[in-house]
Amino acid sequence: MATYKPQTDHEKRKQISIRGIAPVENVVEFKKAFNRHLHYTIVKDRNVATPRDYYLSLAHTVRDYLVGRWIRTQQHYYEKDPKRVYYLSLEFYMGRTLSNTMVNLGIQSACDEALYQIGLDIEELEEIEEDAGLGNGGLGRLAACFLDSMATLGLAAYGYGIRYDYGIFAQKIEDGWQVEEPDEWLRYGNPWEKSRPEYVLPVNFYGRTEDTGSGVKWVDTQVVFAMPFDSPIPGYGNNTVNTMRLWSAKAPNSFNLHFFNNGEYINAVCDRNQAENISRVLYPNDNFFSGKELRLKQEYFLVAATLQDILRRFKSSKFGSRDPVRRSFESFPDKVAIQLNDTHPSMAIPELLRIFVDVEGLPWDKAWGITVKTFAYTNHTVLPEALERWPVSMLEKILPRHLQIIYLINHNFLQEVAKKYPGDAGRMRRMSIVEEDGEKRINMAYLSIVGSHAVNGVAALHSEIIKSETFREFYEMYPERFQNKTNGITPRRWLLLCNPGLSDIIAEKIGEEWVTDLYQLQNLKKFADDENFLRNIIKVKQENKMKLAEYIQENYNIKVNTSSIFDIHVKRIHEYKRQLLNCFHIITLYNRLKRDPNQAFVPRTIMVGGKAAPGYHMAKLIIKLINSVAKVINNDPIIGDRLKVVYLENYRVSLAEKIIPAADLSEQISTAGTEASGTGNMKFMLNGALTIGTLDGANVEMREEMGDENIFIFGMKVNEVEELKRSGYNPRHYYETNPDLRLVLDQLYTGFFSPDKPGLFRDLYNSVMGPDRFCLLKDYEDYIKCQDSVSEVFKDPLQWAKMCVLNIASSGKFSSDRTISEYARDIWGVEPNDIKLPPPHEGLDSMDSKPPQKK
């Protein structure tokens, strides 16, 4: 009698049609290349390969497939000389590279089969790779998705950032508290980058300005060198490989010989370290601007090196010749588009003016016209405390010439304001780039708006808020500059790569075009009542939940019920994101079960993850509270497996790729009007999780796409928040009128979850009972009712699965391909294309091209 034998992971992957069948010759060729690299990777005196040796051999073999295409792409750009797009960002949250590269090159099946024949498991090797965590969260991950889309759409685009020695800190949870450890992502090297010492560039700081006969000069500066490291960014299936160039700070001399010769060895080393500290560590983001000198140096270091590089490329002729051929800058805006990802790179505006005026000798008016046509600015926050405002005293010391240029920009701008609004001194004071109240500061958002030809928000609601509130007077001044570009995510990483089971059943129904045209997913709507398809959706979700449950058991020693609602809230920990509201719901569920253990209860596994900025007391206290609540609930025998709480330690891209496919419910519960867009919401939606959320950020557009009946919306709208604050928000009213809420807050105040330190969570109590601008108690009752609706719907698996299908089918708008196409056409003045470059062994003449259909 035949017995059931479960399929191996390899056998399952072979069945996934969208990854294709590996041709035998590719497998043989890959095995040869892998073994060759392995031979050179193993340390000679060791003779035995370690798992990391196998990973590095695999990475180098895959990189071999990239390099020819990378060179071919750059040759193509030099020959065609298209307009180039430069995306400047202080953060690129790339995650892991290996899997994404194999998917985009179409060699995943060959790699998998070859390693299987050798006796290796590709998934085990993929787990060895460190995340490149050069970002804090959404802003950096958005930049990474945009690079993927720019390459897939065939745009001649470059990402420019900083190669931090230490990325976002590694988070450990010890006794419920967050503990930060350094993220040593470069400990074993990075097989995906190539250092380019031939393009090292000087960056100047400090010094003074001097009026000469030929204009103002910046002299007596201190020099730091910027060393570029290039990483390939492959497009999907088009043989295009773009470049992300990250700068690393290097001291100009190995040692200060004066110190060294006098025997002051330590001073000599410290002198060098001070220069190289610029690229040492990524600043953690707490959405609160603090004017740190090192941060300003990082921002200027990025833009100074990048603009020199851009100008070199602009001046150079075809095929990379370094002989300058362009003497005039008239065509600069026709060949160069620079996108500022938030205000962090906005010092690029005065820096480009400095180069044009002081170095290249252009008259001011001409230089200013070219500069404005070149730059565009994306705003990512409406929280006033997060907007960058640099002290004039700091700029005067570190960048004296740039401060002069900013003063001149402001002078000319205020003359323009006075001309349009004569006699309105109040408006001039409010719109001045130089803020005079208290310590004089430079408002970098204002500088970015004045110095750019386009300004965009990142969701329709956010763009309306910046026009009507945050930058209202600038919108009145320059209405033509303001646009909306709703964020998006790359479907390659966030569906095809991280959820192959779901990708396969989608491909079986509608084909594979959705990978590069996510609007094709709308064809799934006709299967929303197909019971067989719905059961396949349920099956894939259950398999993903079982994988995540196994991970949780291994890493946290918590056994979770895979039949429960996997209720997931993962993002940076911040008061406006309201993880505390989620925690209040957890406590409410616990109190209900304790009050009546025999009640009918839909089981839940609630997972929260995210990092708090090291100096953000309230955010770290929220983490402690969640872990304290989890400790009580998870060890209560009356509760059992009906309610479990898991804090997901060290949330990062590679962990998100495990969590998101397994989610049933996605928490997007920020106070309306505080979240610019969000992209986690889109990732969950694309993977068939339902959303509980407020009408904030991109949730508004998600609801428009999928319909009210397929999303759980609660809480105040933006106008209701504003009205409540105007009329006077009284949190004690909600405390006194809602018994469940009162019990939760009393437990917080009396130390129910911290019996050893009863006053531990008083700060959290005081924050919501005082003048809480995030109005948590006002939304509590509606949130609890909405969560009860979630539990009710979950009881009907087919109805839930139908809603999941309609969520997936409505995700087309939220592809970063759509977002980048809009940036390209509306802001950068370039047209996406579907050119497929020939592989390296074919000639360039074999190319054909046609512009893609506009969506």
Side-chain angles (χ1 to χ4, degrees), residues 427-457:
R427 180 182 288 261
M428 288 179 68
R429 179 182 54 78
R430 291 189 302 271
M431 294 182 74
S432 174
I433 296 168
V434 183
E435 296 180 346
E436 304 278 358
D437 297 337
E439 183 183 16
K440 280 177 74 172
R441 293 177 177 270
I442 303 300
N443 188 311
M444 302 308 284
Y446 291 1
L447 175 64
S448 301
I449 295 169
V450 173
S452 301
H453 70 276
V455 178
N456 71 278

PDB file of all heavy atoms in Angstrom, residues 427-457:
ATOM      1  N   ARG A 427       3.270  87.379   5.390  1.00  0.00           N
ATOM      2  CA  ARG A 427       3.492  86.264   4.465  1.00  0.00           C
ATOM      3  C   ARG A 427       4.983  86.115   4.163  1.00  0.00           C
ATOM      4  O   ARG A 427       5.500  84.990   4.121  1.00  0.00           O
ATOM      5  CB  ARG A 427       2.697  86.484   3.172  1.00  0.00           C
ATOM      6  CG  ARG A 427       2.858  85.368   2.146  1.00  0.00           C
ATOM      7  CD  ARG A 427       2.084  85.677   0.870  1.00  0.00           C
ATOM      8  NE  ARG A 427       0.665  85.558   1.054  1.00  0.00           N
ATOM      9  CZ  ARG A 427      -0.055  84.481   0.703  1.00  0.00           C
ATOM     10  NH1 ARG A 427       0.550  83.433   0.182  1.00  0.00           N
ATOM     11  NH2 ARG A 427      -1.352  84.448   0.885  1.00  0.00           N
ATOM     12  N   MET A 428       5.676  87.207   3.970  1.00  0.00           N
ATOM     13  CA  MET A 428       7.110  87.135   3.685  1.00  0.00           C
ATOM     14  C   MET A 428       7.860  86.491   4.853  1.00  0.00           C
ATOM     15  O   MET A 428       8.745  85.659   4.660  1.00  0.00           O
ATOM     16  CB  MET A 428       7.670  88.527   3.410  1.00  0.00           C
ATOM     17  CG  MET A 428       7.244  89.096   2.062  1.00  0.00           C
ATOM     18  SD  MET A 428       7.904  90.752   1.796  1.00  0.00           S
ATOM     19  CE  MET A 428       9.645  90.414   1.651  1.00  0.00           C
ATOM     20  N   ARG A 429       7.466  86.858   6.069  1.00  0.00           N
ATOM     21  CA  ARG A 429       8.133  86.277   7.243  1.00  0.00           C
ATOM     22  C   ARG A 429       7.860  84.775   7.324  1.00  0.00           C
ATOM     23  O   ARG A 429       8.761  83.977   7.568  1.00  0.00           O
ATOM     24  CB  ARG A 429       7.632  86.983   8.512  1.00  0.00           C
ATOM     25  CG  ARG A 429       8.251  86.428   9.789  1.00  0.00           C
ATOM     26  CD  ARG A 429       7.677  87.132  11.029  1.00  0.00           C
ATOM     27  NE  ARG A 429       6.219  87.083  11.060  1.00  0.00           N
ATOM     28  CZ  ARG A 429       5.511  86.004  11.430  1.00  0.00           C
ATOM     29  NH1 ARG A 429       6.139  84.898  11.768  1.00  0.00           N
ATOM     30  NH2 ARG A 429       4.201  86.055  11.436  1.00  0.00           N
ATOM     31  N   ARG A 430       6.595  84.389   7.067  1.00  0.00           N
ATOM     32  CA  ARG A 430       6.232  82.966   7.162  1.00  0.00           C
ATOM     33  C   ARG A 430       6.883  82.129   6.068  1.00  0.00           C
ATOM     34  O   ARG A 430       7.201  80.955   6.272  1.00  0.00           O
ATOM     35  CB  ARG A 430       4.712  82.802   7.092  1.00  0.00           C
ATOM     36  CG  ARG A 430       3.961  83.315   8.299  1.00  0.00           C
ATOM     37  CD  ARG A 430       2.494  82.921   8.255  1.00  0.00           C
ATOM     38  NE  ARG A 430       1.807  83.391   7.067  1.00  0.00           N
ATOM     39  CZ  ARG A 430       1.203  84.564   6.944  1.00  0.00           C
ATOM     40  NH1 ARG A 430       1.207  85.420   7.963  1.00  0.00           N
ATOM     41  NH2 ARG A 430       0.582  84.908   5.818  1.00  0.00           N
ATOM     42  N   MET A 431       7.111  82.718   4.896  1.00  0.00           N
ATOM     43  CA  MET A 431       7.630  81.951   3.760  1.00  0.00           C
ATOM     44  C   MET A 431       9.146  82.012   3.650  1.00  0.00           C
ATOM     45  O   MET A 431       9.734  81.324   2.807  1.00  0.00           O
ATOM     46  CB  MET A 431       7.005  82.449   2.453  1.00  0.00           C
ATOM     47  CG  MET A 431       5.511  82.190   2.350  1.00  0.00           C
ATOM     48  SD  MET A 431       4.818  82.748   0.772  1.00  0.00           S
ATOM     49  CE  MET A 431       5.415  81.491  -0.348  1.00  0.00           C
ATOM     50  N   SER A 432       9.773  82.809   4.483  1.00  0.00           N
ATOM     51  CA  SER A 432      11.226  82.949   4.395  1.00  0.00           C
ATOM     52  C   SER A 432      11.920  81.615   4.648  1.00  0.00           C
ATOM     53  O   SER A 432      11.588  80.884   5.590  1.00  0.00           O
ATOM     54  CB  SER A 432      11.709  83.985   5.407  1.00  0.00           C
ATOM     55  OG  SER A 432      13.116  84.028   5.418  1.00  0.00           O
ATOM     56  N   ILE A 433      12.902  81.303   3.800  1.00  0.00           N
ATOM     57  CA  ILE A 433      13.714  80.092   3.991  1.00  0.00           C
ATOM     58  C   ILE A 433      14.527  80.212   5.270  1.00  0.00           C
ATOM     59  O   ILE A 433      14.806  79.220   5.944  1.00  0.00           O
ATOM     60  CB  ILE A 433      14.641  79.874   2.775  1.00  0.00           C
ATOM     61  CG1 ILE A 433      13.810  79.625   1.515  1.00  0.00           C
ATOM     62  CG2 ILE A 433      15.613  78.734   3.006  1.00  0.00           C
ATOM     63  CD1 ILE A 433      14.610  79.682   0.210  1.00  0.00           C
ATOM     64  N   VAL A 434      14.882  81.452   5.625  1.00  0.00           N
ATOM     65  CA  VAL A 434      15.633  81.719   6.858  1.00  0.00           C
ATOM     66  C   VAL A 434      14.632  82.069   7.948  1.00  0.00           C
ATOM     67  O   VAL A 434      13.969  83.098   7.892  1.00  0.00           O
ATOM     68  CB  VAL A 434      16.641  82.872   6.670  1.00  0.00           C
ATOM     69  CG1 VAL A 434      17.450  83.086   7.946  1.00  0.00           C
ATOM     70  CG2 VAL A 434      17.549  82.611   5.484  1.00  0.00           C
ATOM     71  N   GLU A 435      14.501  81.184   8.935  1.00  0.00           N
ATOM     72  CA  GLU A 435      13.558  81.410  10.028  1.00  0.00           C
ATOM     73  C   GLU A 435      14.233  82.273  11.095  1.00  0.00           C
ATOM     74  O   GLU A 435      15.321  81.947  11.567  1.00  0.00           O
ATOM     75  CB  GLU A 435      13.113  80.073  10.633  1.00  0.00           C
ATOM     76  CG  GLU A 435      12.349  79.207   9.637  1.00  0.00           C
ATOM     77  CD  GLU A 435      11.903  77.884  10.243  1.00  0.00           C
ATOM     78  OE1 GLU A 435      12.413  77.523  11.336  1.00  0.00           O
ATOM     79  OE2 GLU A 435      11.063  77.206   9.633  1.00  0.00           O
ATOM     80  N   GLU A 436      13.583  83.349  11.469  1.00  0.00           N
ATOM     81  CA  GLU A 436      14.193  84.324  12.386  1.00  0.00           C
ATOM     82  C   GLU A 436      13.723  84.145  13.832  1.00  0.00           C
ATOM     83  O   GLU A 436      14.280  84.754  14.729  1.00  0.00           O
ATOM     84  CB  GLU A 436      13.853  85.752  11.928  1.00  0.00           C
ATOM     85  CG  GLU A 436      14.259  86.065  10.498  1.00  0.00           C
ATOM     86  CD  GLU A 436      15.722  86.438  10.360  1.00  0.00           C
ATOM     87  OE1 GLU A 436      16.412  86.491  11.392  1.00  0.00           O
ATOM     88  OE2 GLU A 436      16.166  86.684   9.222  1.00  0.00           O
ATOM     89  N   ASP A 437      12.657  83.341  14.057  1.00  0.00           N
ATOM     90  CA  ASP A 437      12.143  83.170  15.419  1.00  0.00           C
ATOM     91  C   ASP A 437      13.132  82.353  16.244  1.00  0.00           C
ATOM     92  O   ASP A 437      13.462  81.224  15.881  1.00  0.00           O
ATOM     93  CB  ASP A 437      10.789  82.446  15.406  1.00  0.00           C
ATOM     94  CG  ASP A 437       9.728  83.265  14.678  1.00  0.00           C
ATOM     95  OD1 ASP A 437       9.908  84.485  14.593  1.00  0.00           O
ATOM     96  OD2 ASP A 437       8.739  82.671  14.199  1.00  0.00           O
ATOM     97  N   GLY A 438      13.583  82.910  17.355  1.00  0.00           N
ATOM     98  CA  GLY A 438      14.554  82.193  18.182  1.00  0.00           C
ATOM     99  C   GLY A 438      15.878  82.077  17.449  1.00  0.00           C
ATOM    100  O   GLY A 438      16.333  83.018  16.777  1.00  0.00           O
ATOM    101  N   GLU A 439      16.498  80.904  17.572  1.00  0.00           N
ATOM    102  CA  GLU A 439      17.763  80.686  16.868  1.00  0.00           C
ATOM    103  C   GLU A 439      17.514  80.674  15.361  1.00  0.00           C
ATOM    104  O   GLU A 439      16.589  80.024  14.876  1.00  0.00           O
ATOM    105  CB  GLU A 439      18.365  79.336  17.289  1.00  0.00           C
ATOM    106  CG  GLU A 439      19.721  79.065  16.664  1.00  0.00           C
ATOM    107  CD  GLU A 439      20.272  77.679  17.026  1.00  0.00           C
ATOM    108  OE1 GLU A 439      19.496  76.831  17.492  1.00  0.00           O
ATOM    109  OE2 GLU A 439      21.495  77.473  16.836  1.00  0.00           O
ATOM    110  N   LYS A 440      18.339  81.427  14.624  1.00  0.00           N
ATOM    111  CA  LYS A 440      18.156  81.483  13.166  1.00  0.00           C
ATOM    112  C   LYS A 440      18.401  80.109  12.557  1.00  0.00           C
ATOM    113  O   LYS A 440      19.413  79.469  12.837  1.00  0.00           O
ATOM    114  CB  LYS A 440      19.107  82.504  12.544  1.00  0.00           C
ATOM    115  CG  LYS A 440      18.616  83.937  12.674  1.00  0.00           C
ATOM    116  CD  LYS A 440      19.612  84.934  12.111  1.00  0.00           C
ATOM    117  CE  LYS A 440      19.616  84.920  10.607  1.00  0.00           C
ATOM    118  NZ  LYS A 440      20.444  86.039  10.057  1.00  0.00           N
ATOM    119  N   ARG A 441      17.467  79.668  11.714  1.00  0.00           N
ATOM    120  CA  ARG A 441      17.566  78.356  11.091  1.00  0.00           C
ATOM    121  C   ARG A 441      17.201  78.435   9.628  1.00  0.00           C
ATOM    122  O   ARG A 441      16.462  79.328   9.205  1.00  0.00           O
ATOM    123  CB  ARG A 441      16.630  77.345  11.784  1.00  0.00           C
ATOM    124  CG  ARG A 441      17.031  77.010  13.211  1.00  0.00           C
ATOM    125  CD  ARG A 441      16.028  76.067  13.876  1.00  0.00           C
ATOM    126  NE  ARG A 441      16.458  75.687  15.212  1.00  0.00           N
ATOM    127  CZ  ARG A 441      17.211  74.638  15.497  1.00  0.00           C
ATOM    128  NH1 ARG A 441      17.621  73.846  14.522  1.00  0.00           N
ATOM    129  NH2 ARG A 441      17.558  74.363  16.728  1.00  0.00           N
ATOM    130  N   ILE A 442      17.698  77.460   8.872  1.00  0.00           N
ATOM    131  CA  ILE A 442      17.352  77.335   7.450  1.00  0.00           C
ATOM    132  C   ILE A 442      16.332  76.208   7.317  1.00  0.00           C
ATOM    133  O   ILE A 442      16.596  75.065   7.696  1.00  0.00           O
ATOM    134  CB  ILE A 442      18.593  77.012   6.589  1.00  0.00           C
ATOM    135  CG1 ILE A 442      19.668  78.083   6.779  1.00  0.00           C
ATOM    136  CG2 ILE A 442      18.197  76.875   5.125  1.00  0.00           C
ATOM    137  CD1 ILE A 442      19.247  79.481   6.397  1.00  0.00           C
ATOM    138  N   ASN A 443      15.163  76.528   6.781  1.00  0.00           N
ATOM    139  CA  ASN A 443      14.113  75.536   6.580  1.00  0.00           C
ATOM    140  C   ASN A 443      14.373  74.815   5.258  1.00  0.00           C
ATOM    141  O   ASN A 443      14.191  75.367   4.177  1.00  0.00           O
ATOM    142  CB  ASN A 443      12.737  76.219   6.563  1.00  0.00           C
ATOM    143  CG  ASN A 443      11.598  75.227   6.560  1.00  0.00           C
ATOM    144  OD1 ASN A 443      11.586  74.279   5.770  1.00  0.00           O
ATOM    145  ND2 ASN A 443      10.630  75.443   7.429  1.00  0.00           N
ATOM    146  N   MET A 444      14.793  73.544   5.354  1.00  0.00           N
ATOM    147  CA  MET A 444      15.237  72.824   4.162  1.00  0.00           C
ATOM    148  C   MET A 444      14.082  72.422   3.249  1.00  0.00           C
ATOM    149  O   MET A 444      14.250  72.283   2.033  1.00  0.00           O
ATOM    150  CB  MET A 444      16.045  71.587   4.567  1.00  0.00           C
ATOM    151  CG  MET A 444      17.269  71.893   5.424  1.00  0.00           C
ATOM    152  SD  MET A 444      18.351  73.168   4.717  1.00  0.00           S
ATOM    153  CE  MET A 444      19.166  72.239   3.422  1.00  0.00           C
ATOM    154  N   ALA A 445      12.901  72.250   3.811  1.00  0.00           N
ATOM    155  CA  ALA A 445      11.742  71.950   2.960  1.00  0.00           C
ATOM    156  C   ALA A 445      11.413  73.159   2.094  1.00  0.00           C
ATOM    157  O   ALA A 445      11.130  73.022   0.892  1.00  0.00           O
ATOM    158  CB  ALA A 445      10.552  71.556   3.824  1.00  0.00           C
ATOM    159  N   TYR A 446      11.459  74.364   2.684  1.00  0.00           N
ATOM    160  CA  TYR A 446      11.202  75.582   1.906  1.00  0.00           C
ATOM    161  C   TYR A 446      12.258  75.748   0.809  1.00  0.00           C
ATOM    162  O   TYR A 446      11.950  76.107  -0.333  1.00  0.00           O
ATOM    163  CB  TYR A 446      11.201  76.808   2.817  1.00  0.00           C
ATOM    164  CG  TYR A 446      10.034  76.890   3.784  1.00  0.00           C
ATOM    165  CD1 TYR A 446       9.056  75.892   3.831  1.00  0.00           C
ATOM    166  CD2 TYR A 446       9.912  77.963   4.663  1.00  0.00           C
ATOM    167  CE1 TYR A 446       8.000  75.975   4.718  1.00  0.00           C
ATOM    168  CE2 TYR A 446       8.850  78.048   5.560  1.00  0.00           C
ATOM    169  CZ  TYR A 446       7.900  77.050   5.586  1.00  0.00           C
ATOM    170  OH  TYR A 446       6.852  77.135   6.467  1.00  0.00           O
ATOM    171  N   LEU A 447      13.529  75.489   1.156  1.00  0.00           N
ATOM    172  CA  LEU A 447      14.598  75.575   0.160  1.00  0.00           C
ATOM    173  C   LEU A 447      14.339  74.594  -0.984  1.00  0.00           C
ATOM    174  O   LEU A 447      14.523  74.931  -2.159  1.00  0.00           O
ATOM    175  CB  LEU A 447      15.946  75.268   0.825  1.00  0.00           C
ATOM    176  CG  LEU A 447      17.164  75.199  -0.102  1.00  0.00           C
ATOM    177  CD1 LEU A 447      17.432  76.552  -0.764  1.00  0.00           C
ATOM    178  CD2 LEU A 447      18.403  74.739   0.666  1.00  0.00           C
ATOM    179  N   SER A 448      13.884  73.395  -0.648  1.00  0.00           N
ATOM    180  CA  SER A 448      13.630  72.375  -1.667  1.00  0.00           C
ATOM    181  C   SER A 448      12.494  72.786  -2.590  1.00  0.00           C
ATOM    182  O   SER A 448      12.549  72.540  -3.794  1.00  0.00           O
ATOM    183  CB  SER A 448      13.300  71.034  -0.995  1.00  0.00           C
ATOM    184  OG  SER A 448      14.359  70.608  -0.178  1.00  0.00           O
ATOM    185  N   ILE A 449      11.457  73.389  -2.041  1.00  0.00           N
ATOM    186  CA  ILE A 449      10.321  73.820  -2.868  1.00  0.00           C
ATOM    187  C   ILE A 449      10.744  74.946  -3.804  1.00  0.00           C
ATOM    188  O   ILE A 449      10.440  74.931  -5.005  1.00  0.00           O
ATOM    189  CB  ILE A 449       9.140  74.273  -1.975  1.00  0.00           C
ATOM    190  CG1 ILE A 449       8.605  73.081  -1.174  1.00  0.00           C
ATOM    191  CG2 ILE A 449       8.029  74.889  -2.828  1.00  0.00           C
ATOM    192  CD1 ILE A 449       7.633  73.475  -0.078  1.00  0.00           C
ATOM    193  N   VAL A 450      11.464  75.930  -3.255  1.00  0.00           N
ATOM    194  CA  VAL A 450      11.871  77.094  -4.058  1.00  0.00           C
ATOM    195  C   VAL A 450      12.856  76.676  -5.149  1.00  0.00           C
ATOM    196  O   VAL A 450      12.834  77.210  -6.266  1.00  0.00           O
ATOM    197  CB  VAL A 450      12.485  78.174  -3.140  1.00  0.00           C
ATOM    198  CG1 VAL A 450      13.075  79.318  -3.959  1.00  0.00           C
ATOM    199  CG2 VAL A 450      11.427  78.692  -2.175  1.00  0.00           C
ATOM    200  N   GLY A 451      13.721  75.690  -4.849  1.00  0.00           N
ATOM    201  CA  GLY A 451      14.772  75.307  -5.787  1.00  0.00           C
ATOM    202  C   GLY A 451      14.425  74.162  -6.710  1.00  0.00           C
ATOM    203  O   GLY A 451      15.309  73.651  -7.406  1.00  0.00           O
ATOM    204  N   SER A 452      13.161  73.719  -6.736  1.00  0.00           N
ATOM    205  CA  SER A 452      12.756  72.591  -7.580  1.00  0.00           C
ATOM    206  C   SER A 452      11.613  72.994  -8.508  1.00  0.00           C
ATOM    207  O   SER A 452      10.815  73.871  -8.173  1.00  0.00           O
ATOM    208  CB  SER A 452      12.292  71.418  -6.711  1.00  0.00           C
ATOM    209  OG  SER A 452      13.308  70.981  -5.835  1.00  0.00           O
ATOM    210  N   HIS A 453      11.527  72.309  -9.644  1.00  0.00           N
ATOM    211  CA  HIS A 453      10.426  72.603 -10.564  1.00  0.00           C
ATOM    212  C   HIS A 453       9.195  71.751 -10.278  1.00  0.00           C
ATOM    213  O   HIS A 453       8.116  72.000 -10.813  1.00  0.00           O
ATOM    214  CB  HIS A 453      10.860  72.388 -12.027  1.00  0.00           C
ATOM    215  CG  HIS A 453      11.070  70.949 -12.388  1.00  0.00           C
ATOM    216  ND1 HIS A 453      12.252  70.283 -12.129  1.00  0.00           N
ATOM    217  CD2 HIS A 453      10.260  70.037 -12.977  1.00  0.00           C
ATOM    218  CE1 HIS A 453      12.160  69.032 -12.563  1.00  0.00           C
ATOM    219  NE2 HIS A 453      10.961  68.859 -13.065  1.00  0.00           N
ATOM    220  N   ALA A 454       9.357  70.712  -9.426  1.00  0.00           N
ATOM    221  CA  ALA A 454       8.226  69.851  -9.084  1.00  0.00           C
ATOM    222  C   ALA A 454       8.343  69.430  -7.630  1.00  0.00           C
ATOM    223  O   ALA A 454       9.442  69.142  -7.136  1.00  0.00           O
ATOM    224  CB  ALA A 454       8.192  68.621  -9.984  1.00  0.00           C
ATOM    225  N   VAL A 455       7.198  69.410  -6.940  1.00  0.00           N
ATOM    226  CA  VAL A 455       7.125  68.991  -5.543  1.00  0.00           C
ATOM    227  C   VAL A 455       5.985  67.995  -5.454  1.00  0.00           C
ATOM    228  O   VAL A 455       4.881  68.276  -5.923  1.00  0.00           O
ATOM    229  CB  VAL A 455       6.833  70.190  -4.610  1.00  0.00           C
ATOM    230  CG1 VAL A 455       6.710  69.738  -3.168  1.00  0.00           C
ATOM    231  CG2 VAL A 455       7.885  71.267  -4.763  1.00  0.00           C
ATOM    232  N   ASN A 456       6.249  66.829  -4.869  1.00  0.00           N
ATOM    233  CA  ASN A 456       5.159  65.853  -4.795  1.00  0.00           C
ATOM    234  C   ASN A 456       5.008  65.244  -3.415  1.00  0.00           C
ATOM    235  O   ASN A 456       5.986  65.053  -2.686  1.00  0.00           O
ATOM    236  CB  ASN A 456       5.342  64.736  -5.832  1.00  0.00           C
ATOM    237  CG  ASN A 456       6.469  63.786  -5.510  1.00  0.00           C
ATOM    238  OD1 ASN A 456       7.635  64.074  -5.787  1.00  0.00           O
ATOM    239  ND2 ASN A 456       6.142  62.635  -4.936  1.00  0.00           N
ATOM    240  N   GLY A 457       3.764  64.940  -3.070  1.00  0.00           N
ATOM    241  CA  GLY A 457       3.461  64.093  -1.933  1.00  0.00           C
ATOM    242  C   GLY A 457       3.410  62.657  -2.400  1.00  0.00           C
ATOM    243  O   GLY A 457       3.544  62.366  -3.595  1.00  0.00           O
TER     244      GLY A 457
END
